Amino acid sequence: MKKVLSVLVLAMCIVMLLSFASCGMFMSASSVNNVVREFGTPQAQMTLSFTTSANNKFKYVITYDLLLEKTPITTINFINLVESGFYKDAIFESYNTTNNYYLAGRYTYKKDAESGNSHGYENVSGITIPGEFKTNGYKEPKGGYEKFSMFSLAMYHDNAGKSFDSADGTLIFSTASSASTEKVSLNYTNYAVFAKMVSIDIYEDDNETPRTYPGDKLNSLYWDNLIKLTSTTSCSMTKSNGDSSSVTVLGSGSIPRFVFSIEMLGDKDWSKLPKVN
């Protein structure tokens, strides 16, 4: 009898060890289910305003679904950053013309006197964001990795090593059209796509009624407005408090490029999210 009990105890220990190993550094399926049950599909909203070289004024208000179920750790850390004000008046810092995406969020735009920098920006890139990266050993989730799509958001792994904390938290703002989606996937080795665009409201000039497009139906003209900023040296940008000023954009060799802000939608108590760092 004792021998049987010993065998049973040993078997239970092995099962427990295997279950811990399978969870690894990521959240268990039951933990993810509990979070999704409480918070559903969180939504965030990005706002960016700019004036083109043709002197047309635009405000883009993009609503996102955050993929809590597919990338819970990346999503939770992103929500915490948003709630802390990390993405208030953040900067799109560079545009990749080959793969059609912007790097963004490592710099914040401030008044020159506050930042002590002639370009009016502050480097806030010292925060690391753990997340679900293939580089970290994250296995393909049920239904597959979320693919890049128009204006989707992802975190980028800095490839400094294979440790879970080596993600630098750089926000990738994908401008990929459906035709070029695969160009930015990069096999998902260093990217965790955690948000997809649900809709975009575009306010043009002084029109208070926006043009609204679902996430997969954006008029290419409005996509091109952002891309065309890369061929100019400066443009007028509007901060979250409504102040407008001229800032340097891509192609000039200095930053800031242009400014955006992100806020969470809904009335959830985000402080109740589990700690995942």
Side-chain angles (χ1 to χ4, degrees):
M1 184 67 179
K2 287 184 178 180
K3 187 174 182 180
V4 173
L5 285 173
S6 298
V7 172
L8 286 174
V9 170
L10 179 60
M12 288 176 65
C13 289
I14 292 172
V15 169
M16 289 176 68
L17 285 171
L18 287 174
S19 65
F20 282 130
S22 63
C23 293
M25 59 189 72
F26 305 106
M27 291 177 67
S28 67
S30 60
S31 296
V32 174
N33 289 337
N34 288 337
V35 175
V36 172
R37 191 178 300 115
E38 181 171 357
F39 293 95
T41 301
Q43 288 194 321
Q45 198 168 76
M46 175 188 290
T47 301
L48 55 107
S49 304
F50 59 92
T51 301
T52 67
S53 56
N55 209 33
N56 296 118
K57 296 179 181 179
F58 289 97
K59 181 170 75 171
Y60 288 10
V61 180
I62 306 172
T63 300
Y64 287 98
D65 276 348
L66 305 185
L67 308 177
L68 189 58
E69 190 167 8
K70 271 196 173 178
T71 53
I73 295 176
T74 304
T75 301
I76 290 170
N77 278 302
F78 172 76
I79 292 173
N80 289 334
L81 282 180
V82 172
E83 287 293 281
S84 72
F86 187 84
Y87 291 114
K88 182 179 179 182
D89 297 325
I91 292 170
F92 287 112
E93 59 200 80
S94 65
Y95 176 67
N96 184 301
T97 56
T98 302
N99 292 314
N100 297 326
Y101 63 75
Y102 283 94
L103 289 177
R106 292 187 296 183
Y107 297 87
T108 298
Y109 186 68
K110 294 183 177 296
K111 292 180 181 178
D112 294 357
E114 294 175 355
S115 65
N117 185 294
S118 60
H119 297 298
Y121 66 88
E122 179 183 19
N123 189 332
V124 292
S125 62
I127 298 177
T128 58
I129 310 299
E132 291 87 353
F133 301 96
K134 196 172 181 181
T135 296
N136 285 332
Y138 183 60
K139 305 300 182 184
E140 186 166 345
K142 185 178 181 181
Y145 298 107
E146 183 65 27
K147 292 185 177 181
F148 279 93
S149 57
M150 179 70 80
F151 290 172
S152 60
L153 300 179
M155 286 294 177
Y156 171 64
H157 191 286
D158 67 5
N159 215 23
K162 294 185 180 298
S163 73
F164 190 53
D165 294 325
S166 61
D168 69 1
T170 301
L171 180 68
I172 300 292
F173 179 83
S174 170
T175 56
S177 65
S178 58
S180 59
T181 294
E182 293 306 313
K183 294 178 71 175
V184 293
S185 68
L186 303 178
N187 297 318
Y188 301 92
T189 300
N190 290 327
Y191 298 86
V193 181
F194 68 91
K196 61 181 180 181
M197 180 172 72
V198 177
S199 64
I200 180 170
D201 293 331
I202 297 177
Y203 298 82
E204 189 169 355
D205 295 323
D206 297 321
N207 194 338
E208 295 182 0
T209 303
R211 296 176 183 266
T212 300
Y213 294 90
D216 58 348
K217 301 294 183 183
L218 178 64
N219 186 314
S220 61
L221 168 66
Y222 298 112
W223 172 40
D224 289 343
N225 282 330
L226 287 180
I227 307 304
K228 287 176 181 176
L229 287 176
T230 63
S231 63
T232 63
T233 57
S234 66
C235 68
S236 176
M237 300 305 305
T238 304
K239 295 174 64 176
S240 57
N241 64 2
D243 291 345
S244 294
S245 60
S246 179
V247 297
T248 307
V249 297
L250 255 151
S252 64
S254 60
I255 51 181
R257 312 303 188 182
F258 54 95
V259 181
F260 68 99
S261 291
I262 302 177
E263 63 180 1
M264 295 301 300
L265 298 179
D267 56 359
K268 296 287 188 180
D269 184 356
W270 305 114
S271 66
K272 292 183 178 180
L273 284 167
K275 306 301 180 186
V276 292
N277 282 334

